[in-house]
Amino acid sequence: GESVGLHLPTLSVQEGDNSIINCAYSNSASDYFIWYKQESGKGPQFIIDIRSNMDKRQGQRVTVLLNKTVKHLSLQIAATQPGDSAVYFCAENSLSSGYALNFGKGTSLLVTP
Amino acid sequence: DAMVIQNPRYQVTQFGKPVTLSCSQTLNHNVMYWYQQKSSQAPKLLFHYYDKDFNNEADTPDNFQSRRPNTSFCFLDIRSPGLGDAAMYLCATSTGQAGNEQFFGPGTRLTVL
């Protein structure tokens, strides 16, 4: 069936480096994508979102890139900090799914000093 | 601050003993969701309410029920918890429009003895 998945289950980066977390999706009708950060023992926290009519969106230290041709989504974190250590989930929905989000598997980001 | 509140944060119950988890929101959102999240996995949607309309996911066990007495509150009832139901239970809300983010509560960690 349709799914959203991540390429890498874990990612370890050094403090100050840039991080890139990738996500593949299979539903060509997906029109909204969102990245969540989840720290241990907490609920997912919104980071950034992007609609399918865009290919790039920037926030504070974060950038989301969307490549609809290859159905690929990425989250870039600039100057990664220890507080960025968490699990990152991509999620998508489409008009056909209404307001239900389809979550990817998650990538654990570990920032080392 | 407007937010999604879950009580209790930690719940311990015995095998087969009914348990109720609660969620409240101050966002006045139309949609409230319940997710189950097991360790190192993505949140799994159990069901959601659009206003008073209940929408159950096809693979949600009958053991799980929900109530939404008003806009602000939503409850998750587990009628006969099994060991496999031990998980984090996340409540989320959204406006109900496709393409809008979901706001998550901090979750309730359920332990089944």
Side-chain angles (χ1 to χ4, degrees):
Chain A
E2 303 287 7
S3 65
V4 179
L6 298 180
H7 292 305
L8 299 173
T10 60
L11 178 64
S12 182
V13 299
Q14 282 197 317
E15 182 178 358
D17 288 351
N18 296 335
S19 303
I20 300 176
I21 300 172
N22 297 302
C23 180
Y25 64 96
S26 58
N27 183 2
S28 58
S30 298
D31 55 17
Y32 176 69
F33 304 86
I34 188 168
W35 283 98
Y36 283 97
K37 171 186 179 183
Q38 187 174 25
E39 297 175 274
S40 181
K42 297 183 179 180
Q45 178 186 4
F46 171 86
I47 302 173
I48 192 168
D49 58 4
I50 188 168
R51 297 186 186 275
S52 60
N53 61 351
M54 303 172 67
D55 53 21
K56 180 179 180 179
R57 191 167 186 220
Q58 290 185 292
Q60 187 176 12
R61 283 201 307 117
V62 295
T63 300
V64 56
L65 298 177
L66 175 62
N67 185 330
K68 294 181 288 294
T69 302
V70 296
K71 299 190 186 69
H72 184 266
L73 187 72
S74 69
L75 176 69
Q76 300 179 359
I77 305 174
T80 314
Q81 302 169 0
D84 295 326
S85 294
V87 176
Y88 290 80
F89 291 100
C90 64
E92 59 85 21
N93 79 356
S94 62
L95 284 174
S96 60
S97 68
Y99 24 80
L101 283 175
N102 182 22
F103 278 86
K105 293 182 180 180
T107 291
S108 177
L109 176 65
L110 177 63
V111 182
T112 57
Chain B
D1 289 342
M3 58 197 315
V4 181
I5 303 161
Q6 290 189 246
N7 286 304
R9 294 293 313 279
Y10 301 91
Q11 176 72 58
V12 180
T13 190
Q14 291 180 333
F15 183 94
K17 185 175 181 181
V19 66
T20 295
L21 310 182
S22 72
C23 177
S24 64
Q25 55 133 341
T26 60
L27 297 160
N28 202 34
H29 281 169
N30 294 322
V31 191
M32 295 187 76
Y33 309 80
W34 278 105
Y35 289 86
Q36 180 192 66
Q37 186 179 29
K38 297 191 175 181
S39 181
S40 301
Q41 295 184 21
K44 178 182 182 297
L45 183 64
L46 296 173
F47 28 56
H48 69 274
Y49 273 95
Y50 192 113
D51 293 332
K52 295 184 179 180
D53 293 332
F54 179 70
N55 298 272
N56 198 33
E57 293 300 300
D59 57 353
T60 298
D62 292 340
N63 197 27
F64 292 88
Q65 303 287 320
S66 187
R67 296 170 284 133
R68 190 179 185 185
N70 53 53
T71 300
S72 300
F73 286 86
C74 195
F75 300 98
L76 169 62
D77 301 308
I78 308 177
R79 295 192 297 185
S80 182
L83 298 179
D85 296 328
M88 174 77 87
Y89 289 88
L90 296 164
C91 175
T93 73
S94 76
T95 60
Q97 299 174 9
N100 284 91
E101 67 176 284
Q102 292 183 14
F103 295 81
F104 282 84
T108 294
R109 171 71 65 186
L110 178 68
T111 299
V112 182
L113 302 178

